[in-house]
Amino acid sequence: MTPEELQEQAEKRRAEQKDTPHQIRVCVAAGCISTQSDQVKEALVKGLSPELQKTCQVNGVGCMGLCKEGPLVSVDDTLYKAVSAADAPELINSLSQTPVQRLLCDSKAPFFSRQKKIVLENSGKINPEVIEDYIAADGYVALHKALAEMTPLQVNEQVTISGLRGRGGAGFPTGLKWSTVAKGAAGQKYVICNADEGDPGAFMDRSVLESDPHRVLEGMAIAGYAVGANQGYIYIRAEYPLAIQRLKLAIRQAERLELLGKNIFGTTFSFHVELRIGAGAFVCGEETALIASIEGKRGTPRPRPPFPAESGLWGRPTLINNVETFANIAPILRNGGSWFAGIGTEKSKGTKVFALAGKITNTGLIEIPMGITLREIIFDIGGGIPDGRKFKAVQTGGPSGGCIPEQYLDMPIDYESLAKAGSIMGSGGMIVMDDTSCMVDVAKFFMEFCMTESCGKCVPCRVGTVQLHGLLCRITDGTATMDDLSQLEELCDMVRSTSLCGLGQTAPNPVVSTLRYFKEEYLAHIQEKRCLAGVCKITVPHAAGVSR
Amino acid sequence: MSPLSTLTPRVKTLKINGLDVSASEGEKILDVARQNGIQIPTLCQLDGLTSVGACRLCLVEVKGTPKLLPACVTSVEEGMEVTTTSERLVKYRQMILELLFSERNHICSVCVSNGHCDLQGMAQAHGMTHVRFPYLYPQQGVDASHRRYVMDHNRCILCARCVRVCDEIEGAHTWDIQGRGGDAFVITDFNQPWGESQTCTSCGKCVQVCPTGALSEKGKSVAEMTKKREFVPYLTLMREEL
Ligand SMILES: Cc1cc2nc3c(=O)[nH]c(=O)nc-3n(C[C@H](O)[C@H](O)[C@H](O)COP(=O)(O)O)c2cc1C
Ligand code: SF4
Ligand code: SF4
Ligand code: FES
């Protein structure tokens, strides 16, 4: 495809959209599909009279964010929530009349207006299964710009200037990683997109892939050009069938239009993308385990160094980035690195996608500029705590993260502040807890996850997590002593300091952070045989004040 | 880089426990320490097999790095300052050993390898007198289907020495590891009885490298099972020279 043809495609699609004055968009990402949005879409398509078919288009689109209220449907500029197939006739009628009051969803509400969408800019707007939709939204313009106007070095420069940091958890500077791979040994190199997303409750990456798969492919191709790789792999878990299906379709479409494959835009640059389906083990998100898994081996980590940038897939220099990281690349190249660097805080640039869950009014997917406070996220965007209950803590960073208590609500969200508060940005899970949550129980939940997900290769993580979980069980069932508490603290320190990979090294974090802010809850279980939140069933005969 | 510098390995100088030592580029901290009479405890490492850094006993402190590094896989660097024993390291090593003893059934008094076991020796060397953690003792089987050898999963510490020797030296790849976390265990072929293995050549290398009584020869009773590990470096050396 030539750039002129790309332009043509874009204009043709835009004209098509202009010609049909009415657009009905139904969210067909996994969240809304689970509430039968596919049936809503079908009913809408069937409900259009032949007359209306000429002026109105019904499209499946990606996630609109407010997953809790799904299925979400937008009719031109009006947003509707909790729509069912039976509502279809009314919605169709509203095309010429007043909106359906009963289903209205306020799209001016802070949930929508306080967000800033870069990664999700097309999400909920374009049809993820139609490449022309992506092209009409300036898709593949950045790839063309890179290939036609920039050297690989210049691409790396823009990514470095942007200040983008990896969105997969650790927040490593993306530009630095890219230039390291670019400078790696000459010859075959690889680009890997980490779409394993193993954190419990996280669905940011899945949503991006289901809503806008081409943006990830475009980011990968640009990365391939920048580091000198002609082959990319997307490692995605088998539990994401819809994302897999849409990725497969997107790869085929892009290959057909020669936006992927051989001699892209008639240049000497070729880039192929293949999917690798993972069986779904948390540890396979760890980069060396992921690489072993792609190589067909048992997915266990190996000590680093050597880092994948130096010796990765089949011993070759390999760039491995997260889905959201790649999704940021096209807009950075389109608008320039300094545009991106103008958003966010000094050390954390751009936006971050979070999955809001737990005891919060608006559960769903949000994208916010770095630097806004937890209070803004939870109370403005998230709509606060339901049922008039009191906020207690927010858990960020999944099993590698920690709980942040009320006193930090006005803390700006960035990598450094979260770390200072004893948690991490992680991949973007955010679980809000109210006063009905027992923090020891929360710590136990995450420890159980790490215990069952440990690969078993190294001793501290394999056995340490089991012993830690056992200690937490004793505390929550009221049989622990003060000795157990000190053993818990000692073991946390040891597992964290001696484990081979990030899983074991961070597994104690939820315990450490709850001990830091909610020690009184641990003490109440042990000394008073009482769960302050009333969650744990303590069966030992009540013996207040007894502890050895 | 001049042609000469690519041919001659570069020499590095570093400090281990305050002692000035030299090493060639690419050498591991563990080997350099041993050459200089400094012992670092190891379990999963065995000369002649690739190192995997799994048991974590060989962790050392390196000045300027907050992380502890496994000496068996960490290459030396110019100017490195390594500490192999510190209060912190000693404590962690003891805990690692305690965790291993808590994980499966290591009752030495009834073990064929009593007195000849690396795990037992390590516990003695580290002054481990008791285990503070609850014993987990999962029900693991004993596979006595092989004509000459026995596998007792209850004594296995998952060091994967058998897996590596069978793959890297014998070339049979009979052993592997199945399951994850606390449920991981070694298997022969596709988790079949050892005696029915199509790949096992009965060479016994795995038995000889196993650090505990998990793999033993049939007919040996308590305290009789001694192991010969020296053959591994000898074999690797001979192969390299071919
Ligand atoms: C146990 C474990 C699980 C991980 N899971 C993921 C994951 O699901 N997705 C991801 O992108 N990164 C995951 N990571 C981080 C990756 O190893 C790696 O740092 C990341 O993919 C690099 O991409 P980035 O620089 O774009 O963040 C995980 C790390 C660990 C230790
Ligand atoms: S820390 Fe845990 S997950 Fe990582 S290598 Fe060790 S056993 Fe495996
Ligand atoms: S059987 Fe022996 S050599 Fe094999 S993993 Fe177990 S302890 Fe190690
Ligand atoms: S000998 Fe280094 S980790 Fe086991």
Side-chain angles (χ1 to χ4, degrees):
Chain A
M1 171 172 270
T2 65
E4 291 75 31
E5 282 167 347
L6 189 71
Q7 268 301 317
E8 229 170 79
Q9 283 271 6
E11 266 148 37
K12 193 171 132 220
R13 185 68 180 175
R14 283 186 208 125
E16 244 174 56
Q17 283 164 350
K18 233 182 253 144
D19 281 351
T20 34
H22 297 299
Q23 296 282 339
I24 300 184
R25 298 186 172 91
V26 185
C27 171
V28 287
C32 281
I33 285 199
S34 71
T35 51
Q36 276 85 46
S37 70
D38 45 346
Q39 288 173 22
V40 175
K41 184 177 150 218
E42 210 181 288
L44 284 163
V45 172
K46 278 202 188 124
L48 288 184
S49 63
E51 200 51 36
L52 270 175
Q53 275 169 18
K54 288 183 201 127
T55 58
C56 178
Q57 250 188 9
V58 178
N59 258 311
V61 294
C63 179
M64 303 193 204
L66 199 55
C67 309
K68 181 194 166 203
E69 306 277 12
L72 293 172
V73 175
S74 79
V75 177
D76 297 332
D77 292 325
T78 314
L79 189 62
Y80 294 103
K81 61 185 180 187
V83 179
S84 70
D87 300 323
E90 260 180 288
L91 287 186
I92 291 171
N93 275 336
S94 80
L95 285 171
S96 49
Q97 291 161 17
T98 49
V100 187
Q101 291 299 326
R102 146 180 90 75
L103 299 173
L104 275 184
C105 179
D106 181 10
S107 57
K108 303 267 177 321
F111 178 84
F112 297 99
S113 64
R114 297 295 286 275
Q115 294 193 45
K116 177 166 183 69
K117 299 205 170 177
I118 296 175
V119 170
L120 301 176
E121 64 185 342
N122 293 333
S123 211
K125 297 202 176 107
I126 68 165
N127 185 334
E129 300 184 348
V130 178
I131 188 171
E132 288 79 7
D133 261 23
Y134 182 67
I135 292 173
D138 286 335
Y140 290 105
V141 164
L143 177 60
H144 176 253
K145 183 173 170 186
L147 299 187
E149 298 168 19
M150 301 166 84
T151 62
L153 200 65
Q154 286 170 326
V155 176
N156 282 333
E157 248 168 42
Q158 288 306 312
V159 176
T160 304
I161 291 172
S162 77
L164 175 66
R165 295 169 65 171
R167 301 295 194 235
F172 191 81
T174 307
L176 185 55
K177 204 188 259 187
W178 285 29
S179 38
T180 312
V181 181
K183 287 185 185 139
Q188 183 68 51
K189 293 179 192 180
Y190 298 100
V191 169
I192 296 177
C193 172
N194 188 342
D196 189 61
E197 199 164 59
D199 294 36
F203 56 93
M204 298 76 57
D205 294 347
R206 186 194 70 199
S207 186
V208 169
L209 294 169
E210 284 172 357
S211 307
D212 199 4
H214 284 288
R215 167 183 289 262
V216 179
L217 296 177
E218 186 178 2
M220 287 178 74
I222 294 170
Y225 176 70
V227 303
N230 62 5
Q231 178 67 47
Y233 292 96
I234 302 177
Y235 187 86
I236 183 166
R237 52 177 50 222
E239 284 103 323
Y240 284 180
L242 188 62
I244 293 172
Q245 177 203 321
R246 288 195 180 146
L247 270 172
K248 277 187 182 158
L249 183 67
I251 293 172
R252 267 208 308 276
Q253 291 168 339
E255 281 172 351
R256 199 187 61 226
L257 297 183
E258 292 165 9
L259 295 163
L260 280 183
K262 268 203 177 144
N263 302 108
I264 300 172
F265 288 116
T267 64
T268 53
F269 176 65
S270 301
F271 192 74
H272 302 266
V273 177
E274 279 180 45
L275 295 188
R276 284 290 178 274
I277 317 289
F282 178 54
V283 76
C284 284
E286 197 281 336
E287 51 194 28
T288 60
L290 186 153
I291 286 170
S293 179
I294 294 186
E295 288 174 349
K297 300 187 190 127
R298 188 174 150 83
T300 56
R302 60 155 176 80
R304 305 170 309 168
F307 289 92
E310 189 195 334
S311 172
L313 197 56
W314 291 297
R316 304 300 312 165
T318 302
L319 174 75
I320 171 160
N321 274 133
N322 164 263
V323 170
E324 192 181 327
T325 312
F326 281 125
N328 271 303
I329 297 300
I332 287 177
L333 278 216
R334 260 192 276 124
N335 305 318
S338 26
W339 160 79
F340 192 84
I343 304 160
T345 68
E346 198 196 327
K347 286 187 176 162
S348 303
K349 304 295 187 192
T351 58
K352 178 79 195 85
V353 181
F354 285 100
L356 266 188
K359 302 289 174 55
I360 185 152
T361 306
N362 302 327
T363 53
L365 198 71
I366 60 164
E367 181 172 356
I368 48 111
M370 299 273 192
I372 83 168
T373 64
L374 275 171
R375 190 184 298 281
E376 287 172 274
I377 296 179
I378 294 164
F379 289 92
D380 300 347
I381 298 174
I385 318 297
D387 307 325
R389 303 220 69 110
K390 205 172 149 342
F391 171 84
K392 186 170 187 178
V394 54
Q395 209 279 350
T396 71
S400 317
C403 295
I404 303 173
E406 199 179 356
Q407 73 223 56
Y408 287 102
L409 272 179
D410 292 307
M411 180 182 81
I413 289 282
D414 62 39
Y415 289 95
E416 279 71 28
S417 341
L418 281 168
K420 225 181 277 163
S423 187
I424 55 164
M425 178 86 68
S427 56
M430 214 178 245
I431 304 168
V432 180
M433 286 167 281
D434 66 10
D435 50 6
T436 59
S437 301
C438 165
M439 303 313 279
V440 191
D441 187 59
V442 169
K444 187 174 81 176
F445 167 83
F446 284 108
M447 191 53 69
E448 183 176 359
F449 179 82
C450 290
M451 170 181 85
T452 46
E453 291 295 326
S454 165
C455 76
K457 179 169 178 169
C458 78
V459 182
C461 171
R462 182 180 76 230
V463 197
T465 53
V466 177
Q467 294 290 6
L468 279 168
H469 181 254
L471 285 164
L472 290 166
C473 286
R474 286 226 290 288
I475 296 175
T476 52
D477 70 19
T479 53
T481 64
M482 287 303 282
D483 277 350
D484 289 326
L485 186 63
S486 41
Q487 200 171 72
L488 182 79
E489 286 171 334
E490 221 179 306
L491 201 50
C492 279
D493 169 57
M494 180 264 186
V495 170
R496 175 190 241 183
S497 312
T498 59
S499 289
L500 193 164
C501 83
L503 195 162
Q505 286 160 9
T506 59
N509 287 0
V511 185
V512 173
S513 83
T514 47
L515 269 171
R516 176 164 163 191
Y517 299 118
F518 300 95
K519 191 154 185 177
E520 73 281 0
E521 294 200 30
Y522 282 84
L523 293 175
H525 283 85
I526 297 169
Q527 297 179 324
E528 300 164 33
K529 309 292 172 203
R530 207 155 65 86
C531 173
L532 298 183
V535 173
C536 306
K537 302 270 169 293
I538 294 184
T539 44
V540 266
H542 190 77
V546 179
S547 89
R548 274 169 285 161
Chain B
M1 220 186 265
S2 73
L4 194 68
S5 67
T6 55
L7 287 176
T8 35
R10 295 232 216 116
V11 175
K12 311 258 169 181
T13 52
L14 59 148
K15 270 190 176 21
I16 305 183
N17 296 346
L19 186 74
D20 285 307
V21 299
S22 60
S24 23
E25 185 165 22
E27 267 192 294
K28 307 299 175 213
I29 296 174
L30 180 70
D31 299 318
V32 178
R34 284 183 179 164
Q35 288 155 21
N36 289 279
I38 298 169
Q39 293 309 321
I40 301 175
T42 57
L43 268 180
C44 65
Q45 188 273 348
L46 191 66
D47 280 345
L49 302 182
T50 53
S51 293
V52 289
C55 74
R56 316 305 283 169
L57 279 175
C58 71
L59 290 178
V60 295
E61 289 172 4
V62 173
K63 199 172 166 190
T65 335
K67 285 202 167 161
L68 303 175
L69 301 175
C72 64
V73 290
T74 307
S75 302
V76 294
E77 268 166 48
E78 184 61 39
M80 229 181 197
E81 289 180 40
V82 182
T83 311
T84 69
T85 48
S86 67
E87 211 179 304
R88 185 172 171 221
L89 290 174
V90 168
K91 180 176 138 194
Y92 290 160
R93 285 177 190 147
Q94 253 174 22
M95 284 176 95
I96 289 174
L97 289 166
E98 282 183 59
L99 285 175
L100 276 174
F101 273 89
S102 78
E103 188 182 24
R104 292 191 185 178
N105 172 346
H106 297 285
I107 300 177
C108 304
S109 58
V110 291
C111 177
V112 280
S113 288
N114 191 6
H116 312 288
C117 167
D118 289 3
L119 180 66
Q120 187 186 42
M122 201 61 74
Q124 278 162 352
H126 283 79
M128 200 196 93
T129 51
H130 57 275
V131 176
R132 288 167 300 164
F133 302 108
Y135 292 109
L136 303 171
Y137 289 7
Q139 278 307 304
Q140 295 276 351
V142 175
D143 180 354
S145 59
H146 195 283
R147 199 159 44 87
R148 308 224 306 250
Y149 314 117
V150 188
M151 163 75 209
D152 182 353
H153 290 278
N154 298 294
R155 305 192 188 286
C156 172
I157 59 167
L158 292 164
C159 66
R161 281 189 190 180
C162 55
V163 180
R164 281 173 283 153
V165 81
C166 185
D167 178 40
E168 296 168 10
I169 307 289
E170 178 63 4
H173 201 137
T174 302
W175 292 101
D176 221 319
I177 294 178
Q178 180 176 308
R180 60 187 179 209
D183 297 328
F185 62 104
V186 294
I187 52 168
T188 42
D189 291 344
F190 294 108
N191 195 14
Q192 292 149 297
W194 193 1
E196 287 165 27
S197 166
Q198 300 283 310
T199 58
C200 174
T201 62
S202 301
C203 71
K205 290 189 175 69
C206 53
V207 178
Q208 298 308 321
V209 300
C210 176
T212 69
L215 288 172
S216 60
E217 288 163 17
K218 274 192 177 167
K220 292 268 155 82
S221 62
V222 173
E224 279 187 346
M225 185 68 220
T226 52
K227 302 198 171 179
K228 308 166 200 73
R229 309 221 162 81
E230 318 73 58
F231 74 96
V232 187
Y234 173 76
L235 280 184
T236 28
L237 185 72
M238 287 300 131
R239 281 185 187 185
E240 271 162 22
E241 299 207 330
L242 267 179

